[in-house]
Amino acid sequence: MKEMMGSVQETRLLPDWHEKMPAGVTKVIVQGENPYAVKIDTTTSPEVHVFGSYVYTGNENEFKGQELYQTKQIGDTLYVLLSQIPTRFMQDRQQLDVTIAVPKGIAVTVRDSQGNIIGE
């Protein structure tokens, strides 16, 4: 109880990630527990960008710097895997708001953690 009373609720920024789209990549697959909070944009930039924010309730010093997503290239596919924000017992799931910007012409598929396609 004491720990819950000392907790805070705040909006934090995800670490911004961007790099030039790797040579040979023709598609991006975004996968996560809550893929409905993902927005996909196309740009004229040759880079792929991942950025956003999340709402966290807990001790203000916990989970700072923890990676909430990872990227991995396998062949012609770039994967962006979104993690779930840690929650405590009897807390609602935390809100994650992610934008992924990819160069025009790159196919993007968004799916949930069971592999169900949400959007293309």
Side-chain angles (χ1 to χ4, degrees), residues 3-120:
E3 191 172 306
M4 287 186 76
M5 296 301 288
S7 67
V8 296
Q9 183 177 49
E10 61 185 7
T11 300
R12 296 180 179 176
L13 295 177
L14 288 171
D16 184 29
W17 177 82
H18 65 278
E19 71 174 39
K20 186 171 180 168
M21 183 62 79
V25 169
T26 60
K27 61 185 169 183
V28 174
I29 295 180
V30 181
Q31 180 172 306
E33 189 69 29
N34 185 12
Y36 301 99
V38 176
K39 291 175 276 318
I40 305 296
D41 291 329
T42 58
T43 70
T44 57
S45 169
E47 297 182 325
V48 59
H49 291 257
V50 178
F51 58 95
S53 63
Y54 63 99
V55 176
Y56 173 72
T57 302
N59 183 306
E60 62 184 324
N61 295 319
E62 290 179 340
F63 308 115
K64 287 194 176 184
Q66 180 180 6
E67 293 295 328
L68 293 175
Y69 61 87
Q70 66 174 332
T71 60
K72 183 169 187 71
Q73 179 184 352
I74 301 175
D76 67 345
T77 305
L78 178 67
Y79 292 88
V80 179
L81 305 173
L82 305 172
S83 299
Q84 185 63 35
I85 298 168
T87 58
R88 296 173 187 252
F89 178 68
M90 295 183 65
Q91 279 187 336
D92 292 333
R93 289 184 178 249
Q94 307 300 317
Q95 299 170 1
L96 181 63
D97 181 19
V98 178
T99 299
I100 299 172
V102 298
K104 188 175 183 177
I106 300 294
V108 179
T109 300
V110 179
R111 63 187 187 194
D112 65 18
S113 58
Q114 281 75 46
N116 300 310
I117 295 176
I118 305 302
E120 291 188 276

